[in-house]
Amino acid sequence: MEGSGCPRAGRNELTGKVLPGGRLVQPLVYTQRLELVRNVCREDTLRNLSHTAVSRFVLDRIFVCDKHKILFCQTPKVGNTQWKKVLIVLNGAFPSIEEIPESVVHDHEKNGLPRLSSFSDAEIQKRLKTYFKFFIVRDPFERLISAFKDKFVHNPRFEPWYRHEIAPGIIRKYRRNRTETRGIQFEDFVRYLGDPNHRWLDLQFGDHIIHWVTYVELCAPCEIKYSVIGHHETLEDDAPYILKEAGIDHLVSYPTIPPGITAYNRTKVEHYFLGISKRDIRRLYARFEGDFKLFGYQKPDFLLN
């Protein structure tokens, strides 16, 4: 699979062997992903891009299923809605994934999914030490394209603030051509994300930034020892593996993945970055370099040089 840093592993490598008690011997690909994270976390030159405090912001991203001792860190624009549905069913709020109304999935009053931040410090530490923990990643630039399309182009009716508050804020600060009156363009978005001083705008935007901040800022992979890291590009294999490792594959299955939806699309990436200056793309890469390196995604030289 071109461009993605996680070439599709062979079936035999992914299925693993079952030990007595039904537990899998971890197949090579998942062990290698965790090892890569550990190695990159030790690189001093990347320290600023790979380390973050386990703050309230991070704890707010982690959903808890106490019944089955599972923690799931949410990385928006990487098929997270489906994982939330899995956990909602496991927590007993609904009997099956099909019966969960779409309006309930992201409604934290109704979905029965507690966040790790809602527990005491001692309870948080206990869960972080003993629970099965996972999250999903995808090519960082493709994720940004997905966030831009979803929040600013298709902009769902129930999220008007992306178009009416956040987009104008980005345009005011980052639009090069002041006479240009079109709505937010991907170029404006890239310039905002690549600006080393993006934080003052992020503070104004509040939690809405979760759709485009780094995986490092969302899930603290160098501080929290995750059990499995799934990749969007190999989700057909990773989803069943995660369910099995978490010991819940007999209770729930991951919703069917439409064919081709998880594959890395280099043509789409090239199309979106067409006409954006190399300087802006390099600044964007500089911010997301930690995500590329930690999770084995190839540096997009075809955009940078």
Side-chain angles (χ1 to χ4, degrees), residues 228-287:
V228 178
I229 296 166
H231 281 232
H232 187 256
E233 295 82 358
T234 52
L235 200 56
E236 290 90 341
D237 292 312
D238 294 3
Y241 177 80
I242 288 166
L243 295 176
K244 198 166 212 126
E245 281 292 282
I248 51 174
D249 54 321
H250 60 298
L251 298 171
V252 67
S253 49
Y254 189 84
T256 308
I257 300 163
I261 201 164
T262 59
Y264 174 81
N265 185 340
R266 175 169 160 164
T267 311
K268 179 177 77 180
V269 174
E270 285 177 321
H271 167 74
Y272 266 84
F273 281 94
L274 199 66
I276 296 180
S277 76
K278 295 289 181 216
R279 174 183 172 269
D280 287 338
I281 300 173
R282 286 189 191 119
R283 286 176 79 160
L284 182 72
Y285 178 75
R287 176 166 177 204

Side-chain angles (χ1 to χ4, degrees), residues 2-286:
E2 193 177 13
S4 163
C6 51
R8 202 172 175 76
R11 284 272 158 193
N12 56 348
E13 202 182 9
L14 282 163
T15 48
K17 293 190 181 69
V18 181
L19 288 173
R23 189 159 169 75
L24 273 174
V25 177
Q26 199 167 52
L28 194 58
V29 65
Y30 302 107
T31 315
Q32 286 170 340
R33 286 176 189 173
L34 296 174
E35 222 163 79
L36 177 64
V37 166
R38 276 197 298 275
N39 291 338
V40 174
C41 289
R42 284 198 287 262
E43 280 183 39
D44 279 344
T45 51
L46 282 173
R47 207 171 166 78
N48 290 346
L49 292 167
S50 59
H51 288 264
T52 194
V54 182
S55 61
R56 164 103 202 188
F57 181 78
V58 171
L59 297 172
D60 268 345
R61 310 282 73 82
I62 299 175
F63 294 104
V64 181
C65 173
D66 275 334
K67 195 173 172 186
H68 299 281
K69 296 192 160 64
I70 296 168
L71 298 180
F72 166 61
C73 184
Q74 181 190 20
T75 48
K77 306 276 81 58
V78 192
N80 282 268
T81 301
Q82 307 295 24
W83 284 110
K84 281 169 93 169
K85 288 178 183 175
V86 166
L87 292 183
I88 289 167
V89 170
L90 288 171
N91 274 348
F94 286 87
S96 74
I97 282 172
E98 295 69 39
E99 291 170 70
I100 306 170
E102 285 302 319
S103 59
V104 166
V105 182
H106 303 296
D107 184 333
H108 298 292
E109 305 297 310
K110 295 179 186 164
N111 66 15
L113 277 186
R115 296 168 188 258
L116 195 53
S117 55
S118 65
F119 296 89
S120 70
D121 286 351
E123 291 288 334
I124 289 169
Q125 288 314 316
K126 188 180 90 180
R127 284 166 177 76
L128 283 173
K129 279 197 181 77
T130 59
Y131 280 21
F132 176 87
K133 299 171 288 296
F134 77 100
F135 67 103
I136 314 291
V137 295
R138 76 190 284 190
D139 176 87
F141 279 6
E142 212 176 27
R143 173 177 165 247
L144 295 178
I145 290 168
S146 176
F148 178 78
K149 273 168 61 181
D150 185 46
K151 297 301 166 198
F152 300 110
V153 181
H154 302 144
N155 189 234
R157 268 201 317 277
F158 56 86
E159 296 181 327
W161 48 84
Y162 287 100
R163 187 169 280 171
H164 299 302
E165 291 164 35
I166 294 178
I170 292 172
I171 290 169
R172 269 195 304 275
K173 174 128 176 71
Y174 295 103
R175 175 133 316 160
R176 284 249 163 91
N177 180 354
R178 290 284 161 210
T179 58
E180 165 77 85
T181 56
R182 285 184 303 170
I184 188 168
Q185 302 296 299
F186 189 61
E187 183 180 10
D188 306 321
F189 189 55
V190 165
R191 210 168 283 130
Y192 149 57
L193 293 175
D195 180 1
N197 302 311
H198 60 86
R199 293 205 185 278
W200 73 272
L201 256 194
D202 286 355
L203 287 169
Q204 291 174 45
F205 297 157
D207 270 8
H208 301 311
I209 63 170
I210 63 170
H211 295 279
W212 52 78
V213 297
T214 64
Y215 300 129
V216 168
E217 292 165 281
L218 292 168
C219 297
C222 288
E223 286 66 35
I224 296 171
K225 199 176 173 196
Y226 286 91
S227 319
V228 178
I229 296 166
H231 281 232
H232 187 256
E233 295 82 358
T234 52
L235 200 56
E236 290 90 341
D237 292 312
D238 294 3
Y241 177 80
I242 288 166
L243 295 176
K244 198 166 212 126
E245 281 292 282
I248 51 174
D249 54 321
H250 60 298
L251 298 171
V252 67
S253 49
Y254 189 84
T256 308
I257 300 163
I261 201 164
T262 59
Y264 174 81
N265 185 340
R266 175 169 160 164
T267 311
K268 179 177 77 180
V269 174
E270 285 177 321
H271 167 74
Y272 266 84
F273 281 94
L274 199 66
I276 296 180
S277 76
K278 295 289 181 216
R279 174 183 172 269
D280 287 338
I281 300 173
R282 286 189 191 119
R283 286 176 79 160
L284 182 72
Y285 178 75

